[in-house]
Amino acid sequence: MASEEELFASVDALLEEEPQLPSPAERARLREAAGITQARLAQALKSTTQTVKNWENGRSEPKPPRLEAYQRLLNGWAARFPAHGAPAVTPAAAPAPRAAPEPVSPTFTGQAAPGPEAQPEPVLATVPAPAASAAPERPAVARPATSRRPATKRAAKPVGTDPRFPHGPLAVLDGDGTAFCVDGIMLDCPATTIPDLVEWTLRESGLGAGKLNRYGKDSDPLIVLTAAAAVKLGLPERLEGHEQRRSLRLPEDHPVVKQVVKAKWQLTQRGFGPWPRIYRKAQGRERQCVQLAILSWGALDERSWPGVTDMEPADVARVLGVYATRVITPRGSTAVSGLELMTALRPPTKAVQDPQSGNWVSGYNAGSLGTQPVDPAPPEATAEHPVVVNSGWTGGFLDEEAYQWVRDVDQLTGQEAALPYAVGLDLNTAFLAAAARLTVGLSAPDHFHAPQFNPKIPGSWLVDLSHIEVDPRLPSPFTPTGVRPTGPAWYQTHTVAYAQELGYNVQPIEAYLRRETGAYLDPWHDRLKTAYVDTLADLGVTRDLSDAQFLAAMERHKQADPAMAAVLAAIKATVKGGVGKLRERPQGRKYQQGERWPALERPTWRPDIRAAVISKARVNMHRKLGNMVKLTGLYPLAVLSDCVVYPSPGQSPLDFLPYAESGKPQPGGFRLGPTPGLAKLEGVQPMMWAVDLMEQGLNPARHIKGDGHDAVLDEGE
């Protein structure tokens, strides 16, 4: 016969097994007896009403850690509302129950307890939420141990601001069916196929985001698939040719593609790649579209989203959720998202009333680029563009690009060469700063001969600026190489206006100008500027810091919170990539010069707007370089896009930047700070190191970081 110890051990083993829930019907009875609605219960368990319905009709079962929390709640209700009319045991008289496993999910951890207004039903108070200090990690049975950083609890903003999308803009789906949303919310996704996933997302998930402009459209929900989720849904964990992301897609005869087609869903022209869009034609005003992103297929480029692919699903949801809240729900690469943001903030159409019929029809939204693509003027196009090839254009092209300039080493003085350090300054999102209050053309270009220059009209001007003298210790403001022009050339309005600002007469030979103009990029600038500044503030870099404090905060900001540092990198990539997309070049080996390529069919293919942004950014840089000479007598060693290198007596920008006697920065020169257009430290190297590179014809600004990651020219491509 078994001993008492053996029996107790067997019983304890049973008690430690996974909690057993009452029958679905009993779950519903207990909830109704407590007077709690399914929606209220879903809110308490950070789930959906449909999920609770599924639990109560037996279609699905909760998983850890919700399983333990739900069990704990049902036990509490069972003690108060026993079946068959038996008298309820009051909490005071009830024996102390065996301690249930604490829910350790981010759905509860760190959440503030609901106040009395949010929680009128007193019965839920018998099942308090766990303490905020509980470790936010999932049980080992749900995920094998890894070296990746555990899930975090912070979020940019609470979800639920739009009642149509209570669970935020996106979810990261893992292989066990858990969908991680923003603010630590977790949903149970029962889908086993891609069509099931699309249906669940549109019908049950509560995911999506409202429009950014009153005339715009809501953002479609985004589902990010981990490698395990992709495999579970029938997708390969990786695709061949992973390094060539642009051509990456499933073949049309793949079983998953066939499933999508059979279920009467459609894929966009880019097919089933790292960012597939699955849709049906809208019924009335209701859009039926879901955006997917597949992590193991390289959906999140490491350059734009550093470290995110290797994060835990909850952290991936946090990073993308903050980006979606502050910028836009991702639709593809950060470049694609940057372009989509322009259109979302300046929709091409709006509802207008037909004066004759009185009906509401679609009309042009003033200030936007409209719905039809506009061909550029020949000098604004690229050499392979049809307007160039078909016309036989040989008149030259705009060369409005970012600086790549190194001072001639013979122009260094002995005093400069004797300084111990070369210090690099980097302008924060220089292209974004240039986009502020920038007037661009909205209509097609018109051709003019011998026009009078007007700095308020955006366009391209053929003018000779070769007569303008420039100090050889500074780059020419008129060419990206910094070399003085040798004759007539095409320039964007800002470049010609700067020549006029410097006191020179300009006489255009001809021009392509636009009659309809506007500050198209203003809302784009404002939203991205706010996102950039707010994200830096989350990393401890705020506007109220002194310059010394700012430099110290920037030195450690990436280590403060890797997730938010990734958001910051993505915002910067969105700026650069969005500007680059305005002149997207043809892709693929089969392209023939003179053929139209897909990017030309969108209204946002506007190389003239890209040229305006880069021209203004380069002019802004040259203006600061000239003001630094006036304020300090210092000349730069090199410039690469938005990075400039100066000789310095010390290792800090504070050793050479101009300050007034009051300690305030002098206006006009480079200033330190966290907003677009202000500067931060890029890197420090010995002066002899910089001189050695200059003698070799290399650019010190490209290598000044000295961390093994050479600077990349920021051409906006």
Side-chain angles (χ1 to χ4, degrees):
M1 180 177 292
S3 67
E4 181 178 314
E5 290 183 359
E6 290 173 332
L7 291 172
F8 273 44
S10 298
V11 170
D12 286 343
L14 289 175
L15 288 172
E16 290 171 2
E17 286 186 2
E18 188 173 278
Q20 297 298 313
L21 296 175
S23 68
E26 177 65 4
R27 303 170 201 173
R29 185 195 72 79
L30 289 172
R31 177 184 54 75
E32 291 169 357
I36 303 301
T37 65
Q38 289 176 330
R40 179 72 184 93
L41 177 55
Q43 181 184 16
L45 293 176
K46 298 295 186 292
S47 186
T48 65
T49 303
Q50 183 60 50
T51 297
V52 172
K53 290 180 180 179
N54 292 344
W55 294 344
E56 293 185 357
N57 61 26
R59 287 183 58 194
S60 68
E61 294 293 325
K63 300 174 184 176
R66 281 201 192 84
L67 174 60
E68 292 85 356
Y70 192 33
Q71 173 72 49
R72 188 176 180 184
L73 178 62
L74 293 174
N75 285 344
W77 281 341
R80 296 171 64 89
F81 310 107
H84 309 301
V89 181
T90 64
R98 178 183 174 88
E102 287 290 334
V104 293
S105 160
T107 44
F108 286 91
T109 306
Q111 302 293 322
E117 294 83 8
Q119 189 177 358
E121 300 91 348
V123 67
L124 283 187
T126 64
V127 189
S133 59
E137 57 187 28
R138 299 175 64 197
V141 294
R143 177 185 304 284
T146 70
S147 60
R148 293 186 286 177
R149 196 165 58 83
T152 51
K153 298 173 291 186
R154 296 174 51 201
K157 290 183 180 179
V159 295
T161 53
D162 190 324
R164 298 172 300 159
F165 311 115
H167 300 130
L170 55 88
V172 179
L173 182 64
D174 208 357
D176 64 355
T178 303
F180 295 82
C181 308
V182 298
D183 279 0
I185 291 176
M186 297 196 305
L187 309 176
D188 290 320
C189 176
T192 57
T193 67
I194 291 294
D196 287 348
L197 175 62
V198 173
E199 293 282 358
W200 174 84
T201 303
L202 293 174
R203 308 285 178 257
E204 301 181 27
S205 71
L207 296 172
K211 54 194 175 185
L212 299 180
N213 181 286
R214 60 181 297 194
Y215 302 124
K217 300 175 182 177
D218 294 334
S219 288
D220 298 316
L222 168 64
I223 302 293
V224 181
L225 304 181
T226 66
V231 171
K232 177 184 176 182
L233 294 168
L235 298 169
E237 182 175 346
R238 296 185 182 277
L239 286 184
E240 294 297 326
H242 174 63
E243 66 281 357
Q244 298 177 343
R245 294 177 60 255
R246 288 176 173 175
S247 60
L248 193 68
R249 64 185 65 190
L250 287 180
E252 293 184 3
D253 60 353
H254 190 278
V256 169
V257 177
K258 290 182 177 180
Q259 287 175 356
V260 170
V261 174
K262 184 177 180 181
K264 301 190 184 309
W265 291 98
Q266 298 181 44
L267 292 164
T268 58
Q269 287 185 347
R270 61 185 178 184
F272 206 112
W275 288 91
R277 286 180 68 76
I278 302 175
Y279 71 98
R280 286 179 183 148
K281 290 184 178 180
Q283 297 178 349
R285 294 184 178 181
E286 183 181 354
R287 287 173 59 81
Q288 298 185 85
C289 184
V290 174
Q291 177 73 64
L292 302 182
I294 305 170
L295 292 178
S296 58
W297 293 8
L300 300 182
D301 191 314
E302 177 68 17
R303 294 167 297 180
S304 302
W305 303 95
V308 177
T309 298
D310 294 326
M311 290 181 180
E312 288 292 313
D315 279 331
V316 177
R318 180 184 169 219
V319 170
L320 296 178
V322 172
Y323 180 89
T325 302
R326 294 180 177 175
V327 182
I328 192 172
T329 303
R331 288 274 302 270
S333 67
T334 48
V336 169
S337 297
L339 200 67
E340 291 287 340
L341 182 63
M342 294 180 195
T343 304
L345 294 168
R346 291 277 199 191
T349 62
K350 67 177 181 179
V352 296
Q353 195 167 23
D354 185 335
Q356 295 182 344
S357 66
N359 296 330
W360 289 94
V361 296
S362 178
Y364 172 66
N365 183 25
S368 76
L369 297 180
T371 59
Q372 298 301 315
V374 173
D375 276 341
E380 298 167 347
T382 54
E384 66 271 20
H385 196 286
V387 302
V388 174
V389 176
N390 296 339
S391 67
W393 174 262
T394 58
F397 299 96
L398 279 176
D399 191 20
E400 299 288 11
E401 301 295 341
Y403 268 132
Q404 293 189 72
W405 172 82
V406 181
R407 200 205 306 184
D408 188 334
V409 74
D410 293 335
Q411 296 292 334
L412 281 177
T413 66
Q415 185 179 8
E416 287 177 317
L419 290 172
Y421 298 105
V423 176
L425 289 176
D426 179 71
L427 297 182
N428 302 322
T429 56
F431 288 171
L432 185 61
R437 317 300 170 247
L438 174 66
T439 301
V440 300
L442 301 178
S443 56
D446 291 319
H447 193 194
F448 298 88
H449 290 280
Q452 182 178 356
F453 178 68
N454 186 334
K456 294 184 179 180
I457 300 178
S460 303
W461 309 78
L462 180 63
V463 59
D464 190 349
L465 302 179
S466 62
H467 61 286
I468 298 178
E469 292 283 349
V470 177
D471 190 312
R473 293 171 291 180
L474 289 174
S476 167
F478 310 125
T479 64
T481 61
V483 176
R484 182 174 171 176
T486 57
W490 289 96
Y491 301 98
Q492 202 276 334
T493 298
H494 279 87
T495 304
V496 183
Y498 189 58
Q500 203 173 59
E501 178 185 322
L502 293 175
Y504 295 93
N505 184 37
V506 293
Q507 296 181 325
I509 302 167
E510 59 180 304
Y512 286 90
L513 309 177
R514 287 168 168 79
R515 299 180 188 275
E516 295 179 31
T517 65
Y520 173 72
L521 293 174
D522 262 10
W524 186 79
H525 162 271
D526 294 348
R527 185 167 178 85
L528 284 168
K529 176 183 177 181
T530 300
Y532 181 82
V533 171
D534 287 353
T535 306
L536 263 181
D538 286 341
L539 292 166
V541 186
T542 56
R543 299 190 193 196
D544 58 351
L545 300 177
S546 67
D547 283 1
Q549 291 171 330
F550 167 75
L551 291 172
M554 286 300 296
E555 189 173 349
R556 60 177 181 267
H557 79 283
K558 291 184 180 179
Q559 289 73 42
D561 186 339
M564 295 306 293
V567 175
L568 186 70
I571 293 170
K572 292 190 288 187
T574 301
V575 173
K576 181 180 72 172
V579 172
K581 277 284 185 180
L582 293 169
R583 197 189 70 170
E584 184 177 355
R585 307 294 285 268
Q587 302 166 9
R589 300 176 184 174
K590 297 181 180 180
Y591 175 76
Q592 298 291 323
Q593 195 169 32
E595 293 178 347
R596 294 188 71 84
W597 59 94
L600 301 187
E601 305 311 316
R602 50 176 168 78
T604 48
W605 196 86
R606 292 294 301 271
D608 56 301
I609 296 180
R610 174 187 176 274
V613 172
I614 297 178
S615 168
K616 186 179 175 184
R618 198 182 65 246
V619 164
N620 286 347
M621 172 65 83
H622 193 276
R623 188 181 290 113
K624 292 180 186 296
L625 296 175
N627 288 336
M628 283 289 287
V629 174
K630 297 173 186 176
L631 293 168
T632 67
L634 284 177
Y635 290 85
L637 301 176
V639 183
L640 182 77
S641 187
D642 49 10
C643 177
V644 56
V645 178
Y646 275 102
S648 172
Q651 299 187 54
S652 170
L654 302 177
D655 295 320
F656 65 89
L657 288 178
Y659 290 88
E661 291 184 5
S662 64
K664 292 185 177 181
Q666 293 277 28
F670 293 102
R671 294 178 53 190
L672 300 174
T675 55
L678 298 186
K680 60 181 179 293
L681 177 64
E682 178 75 355
V684 183
Q685 296 289 345
M687 182 65 181
M688 291 309 297
W689 168 91
V691 173
D692 182 53
L693 287 180
M694 295 167 70
E695 289 176 340
Q696 299 177 55
L698 301 176
N699 193 323
R702 185 181 297 277
H703 310 281
I704 193 72
K705 276 188 177 181
D707 58 0
H709 297 86
D710 292 343
V712 177
L713 178 63
D714 198 350
E715 294 180 317
E717 288 290 6

